Amino acid sequence: MWRTVILYALGLAVAAVALEQLKFRYAADEISTDVYVGLLALGFTVLGLWVGHRLTAKKPAAPFERNNAAIASLGLTPRECEILDLLASGRTNQELAHVLGVSPNTVKTHLANLFAKLEVDRRVKAIEKARFLALIE
């Protein structure tokens, strides 16, 4: 990012020197100050939009790959991974139980095991840590 900013700064400096060499001051006397300021503002606005777009452009994301090494080191079962995926969708325990075809108490047991393995105490923290470890998207 800094390289881009420095290159643009150098480009502006070269342009300023070129304008001075062309005696731009004399041409500016012949046109209205309002027009001169407007053109200058328009130029900097366009330059700012272009630089902002270049610096914030998103690169296409690679397809998600689950971190199998983290799953193995945490000792997560396939069912716990499935519950973690569903947990990230924001579903309640009742909804999780319905989707998985188990009782809400079984879901609570799985969640307790999952929280212990991830060393967290809340759903949000579990989702956050799972995303950090690339266990879920």
Side-chain angles (χ1 to χ4, degrees), residues 63-134:
F64 176 74
E65 289 187 32
R66 193 177 295 255
N67 186 351
N68 292 322
I71 291 173
S73 69
L74 291 172
L76 296 178
T77 64
R79 187 62 148 188
E80 288 169 339
C81 290
E82 184 180 1
I83 288 178
L84 194 55
D85 285 333
L86 293 172
L87 188 65
S89 68
R91 298 181 182 182
T92 64
N93 286 356
Q94 285 284 33
E95 292 169 335
L96 292 175
H98 180 70
V99 169
L100 297 171
V102 295
S103 74
N105 287 333
T106 305
V107 171
K108 287 179 187 177
T109 302
H110 284 304
L111 286 175
N113 292 338
L114 194 58
F115 291 171
K117 289 178 181 180
L118 290 174
E119 299 175 352
V120 296
D121 58 350
R122 300 190 188 283
R123 289 173 174 250
V124 174
K125 289 182 181 178
I127 294 168
E128 185 179 283
K129 189 162 186 180
R131 285 195 174 128
F132 176 75
L133 294 173

Side-chain angles (χ1 to χ4, degrees), residues 1-11 50-52 54-55:
M1 180 172 86
W2 284 106
R3 185 183 79 161
T4 305
V5 171
I6 289 172
L7 287 175
Y8 293 126
L10 288 174
W50 184 71
V51 169
R54 287 285 307 256
L55 294 178

